[in-house]
Structures are given as structure tokens and as C-alpha cells.
Amino acid sequence: MSVAPVTSAGEGLSPQRPRRSGSGRSVVGRLLGRLVVPAVLVGTAFGGWRLVQHYGGFFPGSQTTTRLTHVVGRGNLVVTVVESGTLESADNRDVRCLVIGGGTIKKIIPDGTHVKEGDELAEIDSAAIDEQILQQQILFEKARAVRDQAQNDLAAARISLREYVEGTYQKDRQSADAAVTVAEENLRSAENTAVFTERMFRKAYVTKLQLEAQQFAVKRAQLDLETAKTAKRVLEEFTFTKMKNDLETLVATAEAKSKSEQAAFELEESKLNRLKTQKANCKVSAPQDGMVVYANESSSSGRSSSDRPKIEEGAIVRESQVMFRLPDLSQMQVKVTVHESKVESLRPDMPASINIQRRRFTGYVTSVANQPEPLSFMSGNIKKYAALVRIDGEQHDLRPGMTAEVEILVDERKDVLTVPVQCLVEQAGKFYCWKVAGADVVKTEVQIGPGDDRSVEIRAGLAEKDEVLQNPPEKSEGSFTAPTNRKFGAGPRGSAGDGAATPDDRAKSEASTSDAAGGGGAGRGPRGGGSRPDFGSLDKNADGKIGRDEAPPQMQAFFGRLDADGDGFVTQQEWNAMPSRSPRPEPAGR
């Protein structure tokens, strides 16, 4: 670059002033221009070289990377679970709709009103119940009339039985006894008369005809006595038993009918009372003092309150539906939903810190659900479990429904070795760090303990003051050594016995993966006529590079080969150079 354009530009700023070639100032200006501009250019080039040297991985095609390290040290590690939740009362008194079949809300008290015990909260329309009460009142009166008649019939049957047993039968028995006694007396008198007549006949005082008449009178008296005795026996052995059984049957029948009508009466009465109770339940009253809260909150599955029956004037409520809640504001808790990956670490009685509107409280976990919350359309397939966190002490200025951020203390380690999470790489179920040993780095297996989103405890494999890489050269996906035993056995029938793919299988696999990832030239169908995907279509976040999470599944198999500089991303330059390298799927181990 010459100095002339600079001089021309300088001259262009003052076109009216004449050019003085012999002036000392002009010569000095030209000399300064000739010296400053090259110095600026040299400094710019040197600074650019330093940037390339320091951030070599930033520029496409650069193979220079900076070695970021971390010195292993001891410290305190606090493992927590942080979730957001909704504040609610730990002791809610639910007020439900007790009207059978539900109804329409006719009147309702405003939400948030402070009420006393017995105050009316809402009124449900009772027009249909009033009509049912009138109809049931008629049936009730008819049942009572029939019941009273049955009770009178039962009383009459019992009186008839008692009348016969204690009255009529006793009188008939006494009459029979009297008849037997009279017959016996008549027989004795007739016999005495016959004896006297026979004596007189022997003395010839009476005729034979008179004697025969007197003898006949004896026989008639005997017959009368036998008749009286037979009548008494029939009365005692047959008539009494028959009449008593008949009357007892009438009593039993009347008693059964009376019980039946009594049951029918009680049924109609219970129906009437139930309707009257429903009429009374149409007026919803407060069971205790407190603040009224409408039961209109969102469900645990994430559905909005518009998806559920609302509590408002004119709304229809179901039987047993919660209409109001009277929370105990002195006992508050937070309901949080925890992701399934973290719920196993939670236990009851774990301490917690609760942040509500820039106010901090302490508390503890009271319960963790065993079943996940119902899934909603918005949550997809993410499963979360509900946990309740109780706030310590009594709080009187918190309100249900407030948003709270809860931090639950899962574990706390004192004076332990820790490293940042980016220093670790998981391969085949084991964890590795790259320890710096002079000019080299050594891949070292470590045993880890609990950790959080930033640091992890190191239990074995590293020592204090060891230096490890923060940008390991290997990644977790697709670069670890596969185990010797196959996860799903020896493969399908007809495959190689040791589970290894045959040459034909490997050739087909390489062809399919290369075709799917666009291994051929642009605009040309590689090996199968497929087209190469566009770089911009794979760069979903438009940051100028493709991350492993953005790559399609077919490209995952050889992502490490595409990522020439090992920075975990494929740049446009690396993408354009892909056909010349003819990528193949990465081997199981390297």
C-alpha cells in the first residue's frame, strides 16, 4: 500500500490551499505518512497473528488450539436441586358442591373475601329441587295414610286374638263346663228317681209304664251328659286351636303389611328429607373463618384453568366439585415439579431455601410423589414428579398462588477435590480427564462423586494441584471404545458368530452412511443418487457452524472425522472439504 492515497486524501480536505512542494511542513507530513501507515499495517498484521495463535480454533481451517487448563483443588461442594413452584396452604379446608347432580351458581361471594364461620359463600339454583319437593310431599302423605291404616288393622287383629283367647273362649268353656255339670246332676237325679220308681213298682205302687218312663229318663240324662262332655272336648281341642290360629295368622299378616307400609313410608320420607337437604345444600356456607379462594387454579398437568369448570356466577358445577378453599395462611408450603432425572436424589426432611418475591425463607421437603404428574400437550414426553416443601414457622403475609423458587440441599461435601464438569468425558460408562504432564497430556480414568451444574467431586484418579484440560481432545459421543461383549447378543440368525459384520455388510453400511451424510460431490448423487444436504439447513441456530447435536443421526457416525480441528463443531470450510476426505463411520475404538 502506498502513501499517495493518504496524501491525496489529506489534500482533498483543503482543496483551496495551494500545494507548497518546497514547504518544510509538507515534507515532514509526507515523511510521517510514509512511516506511520506501514507501522499501523505491521501492528495490525502482528495483532491478527496473535489472535490466530490464541484463538486458532475460531478461524476456519486453522489447526492451532489453545490449551485451557484447570488446577485441581479442594473446596466445599454443595449439591442442590433448584425448581420453581406455586405457593399453597399446607392445610386447606375445601368447600365442595354437595348438590346431587350439581347445578348452576346463582350467586357467589367475591374471590378473596374474608368470611366468618356460617357466612353464605354461594347459592345454587334450586328451582328443579323445589318442584321435586312438592311431588315428593304428595307421595309422602299417601304413604303415611296407608301406613296408618295398616297399623290400625294390625291393632284390630291383635285385639281380636286377645278377645277370643281371653274372652270368647273362656266364656264358651265355662258354658261347656256348666252344661256338663247340669247333665251330670240330671243323670244323678234321674237315676235316683228310677231306683225309687223300681222299688215302688215292686210294691205295686206304680205301674210298669211309669217304671219304663223313668228308666228312659235315665238314659236321656246319660245322653245329655255325653253330649255336654263332647261339646266341651270339641271346644278345647279343635275350636279353640282353630280360632286361635286363624286370629294369629290375621295378626301376622297385618303386622307384615304394617311393616311394609312403614318401610314404604320411611322411604318416601327419606326421599323428601334428602330433597330438603339438597335444598339446604344449595346455600353454600363457610365451615370456618378464613379467606375465600376460588378453586380455579391450573391443574398439575399444566392445563390452564379454561380447560376446567370455572367458579363464577352462572357457571355449572358438578357434584363433589371443589368450589372454594379456605386456606390456613399460617401454614404454607410450595409445590414444585422435579424432572425425573433429579427426583431420585430427593428425600423427605431435606432442607430447602425458598425465595418468594425477594424474600427468603427456610423449609424442608415433606413428601415426594411416587407417580409422575399427568402429561399435557405442552409438556410433551417430559415427566415430572411433584414434591412438597414446607415453609418453617408461621407466615401471615403470604398468599396462595405466588411463584416461589425452591433450592433443595441434596448433599454437601467439605474439603473435597473438585473439577469443572467440562474437564470430564464419559466413555463406555467410565469417566476420564486429560492430565497435563509437562508438554504432554495423559488420559486418566477418574472416579467421581456427587456434583452440580458446575463442579464434580473427584474421589480417585487425580491429586491436589494436578493440572487437567478444560477442552479435552475426545468427546463422549462416538469416540469411546466399545465393550467386547455385544449388548444384544450375537446378532440375527445367519450373521457372523462373533457378532462382527461381514465385509459386504460393512460396505453396505459405509455406502448408506456416506450417502445419507452427503459424501458425494455437490449436485451429484453419491453412490446411490442421493443429494448432499445444505450446510445452512443443518446449522439450525445460524451460528456459522454445525454442532454434534445439530448433525443428523447418519452424520453422527463420522462426526469426529469431519471435525478436523477437534473443537466439537464443523465449520463451512470443513464442510466444503468433506468430499475430498471421503468420510467413513468412525471405528468402535481408537
Side-chain angles (χ1 to χ4, degrees):
M1 182 180 293
S2 64
V3 184
V6 177
T7 307
S8 299
E11 292 175 351
L13 294 175
S14 302
Q16 297 83 1
R17 298 179 61 183
R19 180 177 180 181
R20 294 179 298 177
S21 59
S23 173
R25 178 179 297 178
S26 301
V27 173
V28 173
R30 285 196 297 271
L31 291 175
L32 290 176
R34 293 176 180 273
L35 294 175
V36 171
V37 173
V40 172
L41 295 177
V42 171
T44 303
F46 179 76
W49 177 80
R50 292 293 296 173
L51 288 174
V52 170
Q53 186 180 25
H54 185 72
Y55 300 104
F58 177 78
F59 296 96
S62 175
Q63 301 299 323
T64 304
T65 58
T66 302
R67 190 166 69 177
L68 302 178
T69 62
H70 172 80
V71 178
V72 180
R74 291 188 174 274
N76 297 333
L77 181 63
V78 179
V79 182
T80 61
V81 173
V82 180
E83 295 288 349
S84 296
T86 303
L87 190 65
E88 63 182 26
S89 174
D91 183 15
N92 281 306
R93 184 71 180 272
D94 293 341
V95 181
R96 300 179 180 271
C97 172
L98 301 180
V99 179
I100 297 178
T104 304
I105 299 178
K106 189 175 180 181
K107 293 190 306 182
I108 191 169
I109 195 171
D111 192 9
T113 305
H114 289 269
V115 296
K116 299 292 184 181
E117 181 179 358
D119 289 352
E120 184 176 326
L121 304 180
E123 181 180 353
I124 300 176
D125 188 13
S126 61
I129 298 178
D130 292 337
E131 183 178 354
Q132 294 177 9
I133 289 177
L134 292 177
Q135 296 176 354
Q136 188 60 35
Q137 188 71 40
I138 296 174
L139 297 177
F140 169 75
E141 295 298 338
K142 289 181 178 179
R144 180 162 62 180
V146 175
R147 181 206 63 174
D148 293 343
Q149 182 62 45
Q151 290 179 348
N152 292 335
D153 293 344
L154 174 60
R158 288 174 176 173
I159 292 175
S160 297
L161 175 60
R162 184 180 177 186
E163 177 187 15
Y164 176 75
V165 174
E166 298 180 3
T168 303
Y169 169 69
Q170 297 298 331
K171 185 186 68 172
D172 292 344
R173 184 178 180 183
Q174 290 176 358
S175 298
D177 291 338
V180 171
T181 301
V182 171
E184 289 177 347
E185 185 63 26
N186 290 337
L187 177 58
R188 188 170 50 254
S189 176
E191 289 178 344
N192 292 333
T193 302
V195 172
F196 178 76
T197 301
E198 185 177 1
R199 188 181 305 127
M200 292 294 103
F201 175 74
R202 285 196 299 266
K203 292 181 179 181
Y205 289 115
V206 296
T207 64
K208 184 176 182 180
L209 184 60
Q210 291 177 333
L211 178 60
E212 290 177 354
Q214 194 59 42
Q215 291 177 348
F216 176 75
V218 172
K219 291 181 179 181
R220 187 177 60 183
Q222 290 177 347
L223 291 176
D224 291 342
L225 179 59
E226 293 295 332
T227 301
K229 290 182 177 180
T230 301
K232 180 179 179 182
R233 184 171 63 85
V234 170
L235 175 64
E236 293 177 346
E237 296 182 5
F238 301 103
T239 304
F240 173 75
T241 303
K242 175 184 176 181
M243 292 298 297
K244 183 180 179 182
N245 290 339
D246 290 345
L247 294 174
E248 287 177 347
T249 301
L250 291 177
V251 170
T253 302
E255 187 174 3
K257 185 177 181 181
S258 176
K259 291 180 179 180
S260 175
E261 298 300 337
Q262 178 66 28
F265 168 77
E266 291 176 355
L267 177 61
E268 300 298 336
E269 184 180 26
S270 65
K271 290 181 179 180
L272 180 61
N273 292 335
R274 187 161 56 249
L275 289 173
K276 290 181 178 179
T277 302
Q278 298 309 306
K279 170 72 174 179
N281 290 338
C282 288
K283 294 185 180 296
V284 183
S285 302
Q288 64 183 20
D289 299 349
M291 182 183 69
V292 177
V293 178
Y294 289 179
N296 279 335
E297 72 278 3
S298 298
S299 68
S300 59
S301 61
R303 297 187 303 165
S304 63
S305 58
S306 60
D307 298 328
R308 310 176 69 198
K310 281 184 172 295
I311 303 300
E312 60 184 3
E313 188 171 331
I316 298 176
V317 291
R318 306 184 308 271
E319 180 184 357
S320 299
Q321 177 184 342
V322 178
M323 298 179 61
F324 308 98
R325 287 191 172 93
L326 298 179
D328 184 358
L329 301 182
S330 63
Q331 304 179 35
M332 304 298 289
Q333 65 184 12
V334 181
K335 180 179 180 180
V336 296
T337 53
V338 184
H339 193 271
E340 60 182 336
S341 62
K342 302 178 182 179
V343 71
E344 288 296 332
S345 61
L346 298 186
R347 298 288 185 274
D349 298 328
M350 281 185 172
S353 176
I354 303 102
N355 187 8
I356 304 174
Q357 295 185 350
R358 299 181 181 179
R359 298 175 58 192
R360 190 162 297 278
F361 304 89
T362 60
Y364 58 94
V365 179
T366 57
S367 64
V368 180
N370 294 323
Q371 296 293 328
E373 294 290 285
L375 297 177
S376 66
F377 175 77
M378 298 300 295
S379 64
N381 199 30
I382 299 176
K383 295 182 180 179
K384 293 189 175 183
Y385 292 75
L388 297 179
V389 179
R390 183 73 173 269
I391 299 179
D392 293 331
E394 293 188 2
Q395 309 298 329
H396 298 279
D397 52 352
L398 298 179
R399 292 294 178 266
M402 289 182 174
T403 301
E405 183 177 296
V406 179
E407 184 176 7
I408 303 173
L409 179 61
V410 176
D411 196 1
E412 185 175 9
R413 301 282 180 166
K414 300 289 186 179
D415 193 28
V416 295
L417 292 177
T418 61
V419 296
V421 293
Q422 62 267 24
C423 298
L424 291 170
V425 172
E426 182 182 4
Q427 296 180 352
K430 297 181 180 181
F431 293 90
Y432 297 91
C433 283
W434 274 255
K435 185 168 62 174
V436 177
D440 298 329
V441 290
V442 180
K443 183 178 179 181
T444 306
E445 181 182 353
V446 295
Q447 295 181 7
I448 66 171
D452 54 15
D453 296 336
R454 297 178 299 274
S455 302
V456 179
E457 178 189 358
I458 300 297
R459 294 182 174 176
L462 295 177
E464 189 175 359
K465 296 183 179 181
D466 282 348
E467 189 176 2
V468 295
L469 295 183
Q470 293 195 51
N471 52 345
E474 298 183 20
K475 305 300 178 183
S476 297
E477 297 84 5
S479 61
F480 57 85
T481 302
T484 56
N485 56 334
R486 291 174 57 89
K487 179 178 181 181
F488 297 104
R493 183 179 303 173
S495 63
D498 58 353
T502 62
D504 292 339
D505 294 337
R506 286 195 296 270
K508 294 178 181 179
S509 175
E510 291 175 0
S512 62
T513 54
S514 176
D515 293 345
R524 178 173 56 88
R527 290 194 177 99
S531 62
R532 174 183 177 180
D534 182 64
F535 179 88
S537 64
L538 298 179
D539 184 16
K540 298 181 177 58
N541 55 7
D543 61 347
K545 51 189 176 180
I546 302 174
R548 186 179 290 274
D549 56 342
E550 296 174 325
Q554 298 85 352
M555 185 176 171
Q556 296 279 353
F558 50 87
F559 189 91
R561 295 184 181 274
L562 298 178
D563 183 16
D565 57 1
D567 64 345
F569 298 95
V570 176
T571 62
Q572 180 72 58
Q573 182 178 357
E574 293 171 336
W575 179 262
N576 295 335
M578 181 174 62
S580 62
R581 284 194 294 271
S582 299
R584 294 289 186 268
E586 292 184 353
R590 63 178 183 179

